[in-house]
Amino acid sequence: MPESYRPHLRKDDEDERTVTQSIDTNVSTKHATVQNILDRKGGTVFSIRPQDTLHKAVEILRDQRIGALVVTDATGALQGILSERDIVRKLADAPGRTLPHKVEDIMTRDVVVATPDEPLVTVLQRMTKGRFRHMPVVASNELVGMITIGDVVQYRLNELEHEALQIKQLIVG
Ligand code: AMP
């Protein structure tokens, strides 16, 4: 029987309800990307040079109220990442002699980066697996932002609130 002549069955309504509900409650999570976070927080990336001192680094971390800096050379190319955790470890190793050291002495050189179109769920997985809380965002070999695990959790919380509201509205009518 051609599709257009098929009688309407009760099962059709059930199928439709199921599909609609799953789209409403899941679609935003599935498609949320790094770019969604950058749209909210902007693309500012605080950086430091490899030859700068840890003293300069801690001042920037304090003044900008952030937990990590990307390390770039004079051309802007990514050389590493320096987080407050690296500095704390150095403080334990060399108490009273930490601040004059250079950034390049303790930075992490093998930086894991994200791309703007990457889904947030894979970013969270990589952060959890790698045990770090910061990820520089790179597009066409250029730094375009920095996201933290806090940004991702905040975004997800907002989504959950939004979804809860949608479900309440469905119930209340
Ligand atoms: P965090 O949790 O981000 O403060 O960093 C914990 C450790 O992971 C420090 O040694 C950082 O240098 C390093 N780290 C932070 N972010 C990254 C990243 N995106 N890729 C590689 N290492 C990182």
mmCIF file of all heavy atoms in Angstrom, residues 67 81-83 85-86 89 108 110-112 131-136, ligand 1:
data_model
loop_
_atom_site.group_PDB
_atom_site.id
_atom_site.type_symbol
_atom_site.label_atom_id
_atom_site.label_comp_id
_atom_site.label_asym_id
_atom_site.label_seq_id
_atom_site.Cartn_x
_atom_site.Cartn_y
_atom_site.Cartn_z
ATOM 1 N N GLY A 67 43.935 29.866 36.565
ATOM 2 C CA GLY A 67 44.735 28.770 37.111
ATOM 3 C C GLY A 67 45.834 28.272 36.189
ATOM 4 O O GLY A 67 46.633 27.429 36.592
ATOM 5 N N ILE A 81 52.207 24.620 28.505
ATOM 6 C CA ILE A 81 51.190 25.160 29.408
ATOM 7 C C ILE A 81 51.756 25.109 30.826
ATOM 8 O O ILE A 81 52.506 24.190 31.179
ATOM 9 C CB ILE A 81 49.858 24.378 29.275
ATOM 10 C CG1 ILE A 81 48.730 25.065 30.035
ATOM 11 C CG2 ILE A 81 50.007 22.930 29.734
ATOM 12 C CD1 ILE A 81 47.332 24.596 29.628
ATOM 13 N N LEU A 82 51.435 26.139 31.596
ATOM 14 C CA LEU A 82 51.928 26.232 32.973
ATOM 15 C C LEU A 82 50.714 26.420 33.880
ATOM 16 O O LEU A 82 49.975 27.402 33.734
ATOM 17 C CB LEU A 82 52.852 27.445 33.115
ATOM 18 C CG LEU A 82 53.383 27.696 34.522
ATOM 19 C CD1 LEU A 82 54.541 26.740 34.844
ATOM 20 C CD2 LEU A 82 53.868 29.139 34.682
ATOM 21 N N SER A 83 50.515 25.481 34.796
ATOM 22 C CA SER A 83 49.368 25.628 35.697
ATOM 23 C C SER A 83 49.856 25.848 37.122
ATOM 24 O O SER A 83 51.020 25.580 37.453
ATOM 25 C CB SER A 83 48.446 24.420 35.603
ATOM 26 O OG SER A 83 48.506 23.620 36.741
ATOM 27 N N ARG A 85 49.359 24.164 39.509
ATOM 28 C CA ARG A 85 49.799 22.875 40.066
ATOM 29 C C ARG A 85 51.297 22.640 39.825
ATOM 30 O O ARG A 85 51.993 22.101 40.674
ATOM 31 C CB ARG A 85 48.981 21.746 39.440
ATOM 32 C CG ARG A 85 49.063 20.497 40.241
ATOM 33 C CD ARG A 85 47.940 19.564 39.913
ATOM 34 N NE ARG A 85 46.682 19.928 40.512
ATOM 35 C CZ ARG A 85 45.561 19.236 40.382
ATOM 36 N NH1 ARG A 85 45.565 18.146 39.643
ATOM 37 N NH2 ARG A 85 44.461 19.609 40.975
ATOM 38 N N ASP A 86 51.796 23.057 38.633
ATOM 39 C CA ASP A 86 53.239 22.936 38.344
ATOM 40 C C ASP A 86 54.040 23.774 39.334
ATOM 41 O O ASP A 86 55.108 23.363 39.790
ATOM 42 C CB ASP A 86 53.525 23.409 36.915
ATOM 43 C CG ASP A 86 52.767 22.599 35.874
ATOM 44 O OD1 ASP A 86 52.789 21.361 35.963
ATOM 45 O OD2 ASP A 86 52.150 23.211 34.984
ATOM 46 N N ARG A 89 54.163 22.217 42.824
ATOM 47 C CA ARG A 89 55.140 21.102 42.873
ATOM 48 C C ARG A 89 56.553 21.649 43.009
ATOM 49 O O ARG A 89 57.359 21.138 43.793
ATOM 50 C CB ARG A 89 55.065 20.282 41.576
ATOM 51 C CG ARG A 89 53.887 19.352 41.549
ATOM 52 C CD ARG A 89 54.043 18.351 40.381
ATOM 53 N NE ARG A 89 52.752 17.819 40.030
ATOM 54 C CZ ARG A 89 52.167 17.929 38.840
ATOM 55 N NH1 ARG A 89 52.774 18.532 37.857
ATOM 56 N NH2 ARG A 89 50.979 17.419 38.630
ATOM 57 N N THR A 108 54.532 22.154 31.111
ATOM 58 C CA THR A 108 54.242 20.902 30.397
ATOM 59 C C THR A 108 54.343 21.204 28.901
ATOM 60 O O THR A 108 53.694 22.126 28.400
ATOM 61 C CB THR A 108 52.816 20.409 30.737
ATOM 62 O OG1 THR A 108 52.739 20.198 32.149
ATOM 63 C CG2 THR A 108 52.481 19.130 30.015
ATOM 64 N N ASP A 110 53.977 18.921 26.295
ATOM 65 C CA ASP A 110 53.075 18.144 25.438
ATOM 66 C C ASP A 110 51.628 18.570 25.728
ATOM 67 O O ASP A 110 50.960 17.984 26.575
ATOM 68 C CB ASP A 110 53.281 16.663 25.772
ATOM 69 C CG ASP A 110 52.882 15.774 24.626
ATOM 70 O OD1 ASP A 110 52.472 16.322 23.584
ATOM 71 O OD2 ASP A 110 52.966 14.542 24.790
ATOM 72 N N VAL A 111 51.177 19.594 25.026
ATOM 73 C CA VAL A 111 49.875 20.180 25.359
ATOM 74 C C VAL A 111 48.746 19.501 24.578
ATOM 75 O O VAL A 111 48.836 19.359 23.353
ATOM 76 C CB VAL A 111 49.851 21.696 25.049
ATOM 77 C CG1 VAL A 111 48.551 22.317 25.556
ATOM 78 C CG2 VAL A 111 51.047 22.393 25.650
ATOM 79 N N VAL A 112 47.722 19.117 25.300
ATOM 80 C CA VAL A 112 46.528 18.556 24.651
ATOM 81 C C VAL A 112 45.593 19.733 24.350
ATOM 82 O O VAL A 112 45.250 20.495 25.264
ATOM 83 C CB VAL A 112 45.835 17.541 25.581
ATOM 84 C CG1 VAL A 112 44.587 16.968 24.927
ATOM 85 C CG2 VAL A 112 46.807 16.429 25.972
ATOM 86 N N ARG A 131 43.816 14.025 33.544
ATOM 87 C CA ARG A 131 43.909 14.639 34.877
ATOM 88 C C ARG A 131 44.400 16.084 34.816
ATOM 89 O O ARG A 131 45.307 16.482 35.529
ATOM 90 C CB ARG A 131 44.830 13.828 35.798
ATOM 91 C CG ARG A 131 44.245 12.499 36.151
ATOM 92 C CD ARG A 131 45.206 11.687 36.968
ATOM 93 N NE ARG A 131 44.583 10.453 37.394
ATOM 94 C CZ ARG A 131 43.960 10.279 38.552
ATOM 95 N NH1 ARG A 131 43.898 11.257 39.412
ATOM 96 N NH2 ARG A 131 43.413 9.143 38.855
ATOM 97 N N PHE A 132 43.849 16.864 33.885
ATOM 98 C CA PHE A 132 44.112 18.303 33.878
ATOM 99 C C PHE A 132 42.796 19.046 33.688
ATOM 100 O O PHE A 132 41.795 18.448 33.286
ATOM 101 C CB PHE A 132 45.130 18.685 32.807
ATOM 102 C CG PHE A 132 44.887 18.098 31.451
ATOM 103 C CD1 PHE A 132 43.889 18.611 30.621
ATOM 104 C CD2 PHE A 132 45.638 17.034 31.002
ATOM 105 C CE1 PHE A 132 43.666 18.079 29.375
ATOM 106 C CE2 PHE A 132 45.406 16.482 29.747
ATOM 107 C CZ PHE A 132 44.421 17.007 28.936
ATOM 108 N N ARG A 133 42.810 20.325 34.058
ATOM 109 C CA ARG A 133 41.563 21.092 34.098
ATOM 110 C C ARG A 133 41.493 22.203 33.055
ATOM 111 O O ARG A 133 40.541 22.972 33.019
ATOM 112 C CB ARG A 133 41.400 21.706 35.496
ATOM 113 C CG ARG A 133 41.286 20.673 36.602
ATOM 114 C CD ARG A 133 41.557 21.265 37.959
ATOM 115 N NE ARG A 133 42.942 21.698 38.063
ATOM 116 C CZ ARG A 133 43.469 22.284 39.142
ATOM 117 N NH1 ARG A 133 42.722 22.532 40.179
ATOM 118 N NH2 ARG A 133 44.751 22.646 39.145
ATOM 119 N N HIS A 134 42.556 22.307 32.234
ATOM 120 C CA HIS A 134 42.601 23.386 31.239
ATOM 121 C C HIS A 134 42.843 22.828 29.850
ATOM 122 O O HIS A 134 43.592 21.868 29.703
ATOM 123 C CB HIS A 134 43.722 24.366 31.580
ATOM 124 C CG HIS A 134 43.544 25.034 32.907
ATOM 125 N ND1 HIS A 134 43.984 24.459 34.075
ATOM 126 C CD2 HIS A 134 42.944 26.197 33.235
ATOM 127 C CE1 HIS A 134 43.671 25.255 35.088
ATOM 128 N NE2 HIS A 134 43.039 26.315 34.612
ATOM 129 N N MET A 135 42.228 23.455 28.866
ATOM 130 C CA MET A 135 42.485 23.047 27.489
ATOM 131 C C MET A 135 42.489 24.253 26.557
ATOM 132 O O MET A 135 41.446 24.911 26.387
ATOM 133 C CB MET A 135 41.431 22.041 27.035
ATOM 134 C CG MET A 135 42.051 20.754 26.581
ATOM 135 S SD MET A 135 40.845 19.835 25.688
ATOM 136 C CE MET A 135 41.239 18.234 26.134
ATOM 137 N N PRO A 136 43.670 24.565 25.983
ATOM 138 C CA PRO A 136 43.690 25.630 24.981
ATOM 139 C C PRO A 136 42.903 25.191 23.752
ATOM 140 O O PRO A 136 42.878 23.997 23.430
ATOM 141 C CB PRO A 136 45.181 25.762 24.634
ATOM 142 C CG PRO A 136 45.926 25.056 25.716
ATOM 143 C CD PRO A 136 45.004 23.995 26.227
HETATM 144 P P1 AMP B 1 45.585 21.610 35.768
HETATM 145 O O1 AMP B 1 44.730 20.559 36.376
HETATM 146 O O2 AMP B 1 45.044 22.096 34.456
HETATM 147 O O3 AMP B 1 45.920 22.727 36.721
HETATM 148 O O4 AMP B 1 46.987 20.925 35.366
HETATM 149 C C1 AMP B 1 47.514 19.751 35.960
HETATM 150 C C2 AMP B 1 48.783 19.355 35.206
HETATM 151 O O5 AMP B 1 48.468 19.086 33.819
HETATM 152 C C3 AMP B 1 49.891 20.421 35.156
HETATM 153 O O6 AMP B 1 51.144 19.763 35.149
HETATM 154 C C4 AMP B 1 49.674 21.127 33.823
HETATM 155 O O7 AMP B 1 50.863 21.672 33.277
HETATM 156 C C5 AMP B 1 49.159 19.991 32.962
HETATM 157 N N1 AMP B 1 48.184 20.442 31.971
HETATM 158 C C6 AMP B 1 47.170 21.331 32.140
HETATM 159 N N2 AMP B 1 46.467 21.480 31.022
HETATM 160 C C7 AMP B 1 47.008 20.657 30.111
HETATM 161 C C8 AMP B 1 46.734 20.347 28.740
HETATM 162 N N3 AMP B 1 45.708 20.893 28.089
HETATM 163 N N4 AMP B 1 47.558 19.468 28.104
HETATM 164 C C9 AMP B 1 48.575 18.870 28.757
HETATM 165 N N5 AMP B 1 48.888 19.107 30.039
HETATM 166 C C10 AMP B 1 48.117 19.985 30.718
#
